[in-house]
Amino acid sequence: MFILGALFTSCEDSIDKDNPAIPYASIGGYNNSDDIAPDNLISKISFDNNTFIDAKNGVNTSSPTNVTFDSGIKGTAYKGSSSAFISYNDVSDKIKNLKSITQSMWIKTSQHTGGAQCIFMLPKTTDFWGNIFVLIEGSTDGKMLLKFHIQKDVTPAVTWAGQFIETGGTNKLEGMYDKWKHLVWSYDATTSTFALYVDGALVPLPDSITKRFTNDPAQGGLPLGNLANSNVSKFIIGGFQQHLGTPWSNPDGWMLKYTGLMDEFRMYDKALSSSEINALYKLEKDNR
């Protein structure tokens, strides 16, 4: 038996050497999610190993409040609650100076019926609404109403400097609750266009939502062009800037912290293409 075991082990060793592991098939020409637009990836927070580290140093010096972790789409995930959020004290110039943007993340959350939960916000010390944010509004019909905010704070000022973009009315999203969903949105400064993707697929939205202008198009509005953030201070995941305290006022009653799960938070300084976003979805889903 000893001799047979040794021979069997020797055969196994030979098989392993002669047959190396078969590599994963590429998706969209990529083998790993980090292969997609690597030079434009300016923030990546994976929440792995129960940490809040930004692998790209887009935001640093985290101060978590009552945040816990759960199983994520890849490794561990941020687990929110009515009292949980993360504040980052240091924000890189790449984020402060965003002109175009793609922001992606996996979310798993349940329907709430009142107020608005903030997924993340890039604060502005001199404005109630901040620079950039994503909200989930309360819902009673099982459909998700998302609200986005982008900023063009320039001199001379444009009429529509702070812009709200929302999936309201017939544009509410179905099937978004109580399951992992890959959510991506982008703004392309070269075309002044907003886009939204769910699970790698472009969400069809009317021009009234996707086309962005500096002022009313009926009054000769010009394309919005480059974003321009201003007076950036800190960065927050899971809450509003008002949850950070001074210099902001106390949060209004409808300002809620995000209570769901979140994983693989990414930010790019360009608008990714549809094919890149589809590949990102498939690669992360495949744990790559």
Side-chain angles (χ1 to χ4, degrees):
M1 289 184 69
F2 175 79
I3 294 171
L4 286 173
L7 288 171
F8 201 54
T9 300
S10 177
C11 289
E12 284 184 337
D13 288 344
S14 177
I15 290 172
D16 288 341
K17 291 175 182 177
D18 295 338
N19 297 276
I22 299 173
Y24 283 113
S26 67
I27 295 176
Y30 306 102
N31 293 315
N32 185 280
S33 54
D34 288 345
D35 296 339
I36 298 171
D39 294 337
N40 300 101
L41 180 59
I42 59 175
S43 179
K44 180 194 174 187
I45 307 172
S46 296
F47 307 107
D48 286 340
N49 302 313
N50 297 356
T51 64
F52 311 102
I53 296 171
D54 185 343
K56 307 304 292 186
N57 295 313
V59 291
N60 288 291
T61 318
S62 62
S63 299
T65 299
N66 297 329
V67 176
T68 56
F69 298 88
D70 206 336
S71 297
I73 200 73
K74 290 176 64 180
T76 53
Y78 172 102
K79 185 176 182 180
S81 72
S82 60
S83 63
F85 64 93
I86 312 170
S87 170
Y88 292 86
N89 291 330
D90 301 318
V91 182
S92 71
D93 287 342
K94 288 184 177 181
I95 290 180
K96 290 179 180 179
N97 298 324
L98 279 167
K99 295 176 175 60
S100 294
I101 181 174
T102 299
Q103 193 274 310
S104 71
M105 60 196 157
W106 290 83
I107 61 171
K108 183 180 180 182
T109 190
S110 298
Q111 176 180 306
H112 69 280
T113 57
Q117 294 188 7
C118 188
I119 298 178
F120 87 92
M121 178 174 277
L122 179 63
K124 180 179 180 180
T125 56
T126 56
D127 183 75
F128 180 84
W129 291 113
N131 285 292
I132 300 173
F133 65 63
V134 178
L135 311 179
I136 301 176
E137 294 279 0
S139 171
T140 57
D141 60 6
K143 300 176 183 179
M144 183 175 287
L145 195 165
L146 291 169
K147 185 172 288 185
F148 306 84
H149 183 269
I150 54 178
Q151 180 79 15
K152 186 181 181 74
D153 190 5
V154 293
T155 303
V158 298
T159 305
W160 290 355
Q163 302 202 4
F164 293 90
I165 307 168
E166 62 179 67
T167 60
T170 59
N171 298 302
K172 289 183 180 179
L173 306 179
E174 299 192 35
M176 294 294 291
Y177 293 114
D178 300 314
K179 64 186 75 171
W180 280 110
K181 304 297 289 185
H182 190 236
L183 181 66
V184 183
W185 66 279
S186 69
Y187 171 76
D188 188 343
T190 61
T191 59
S192 297
T193 303
F194 169 87
L196 180 65
Y197 299 79
V198 175
D199 289 347
L202 179 67
V203 177
L205 296 170
D207 286 352
S208 59
I209 293 177
T210 61
K211 301 299 183 182
R212 312 312 304 171
F213 298 90
T214 58
N215 59 301
D216 190 346
Q219 303 298 319
L222 297 174
L224 184 62
N226 290 340
L227 299 179
N229 301 308
S230 63
N231 299 302
V232 174
S233 176
K234 302 186 179 182
F235 187 85
I236 185 169
I237 287 179
F240 288 83
Q241 63 185 22
Q242 284 78 4
H243 291 120
L244 300 176
T246 306
W248 299 279
S249 59
N250 293 327
D252 292 346
W254 58 267
M255 292 180 168
L256 306 178
K257 301 179 180 74
Y258 175 66
T259 58
L261 298 175
M262 186 191 316
D263 203 3
E264 296 301 315
F265 181 98
R266 292 172 179 258
M267 194 177 295
Y268 299 81
D269 62 3
K270 78 164 191 171
L272 295 184
S273 67
S274 294
S275 60
E276 287 174 319
I277 290 169
N278 183 261
L280 179 62
Y281 160 66
K282 291 179 178 178
L283 286 163
E284 289 189 332
K285 187 178 180 182
D286 200 32
N287 200 31
R288 287 195 265 167

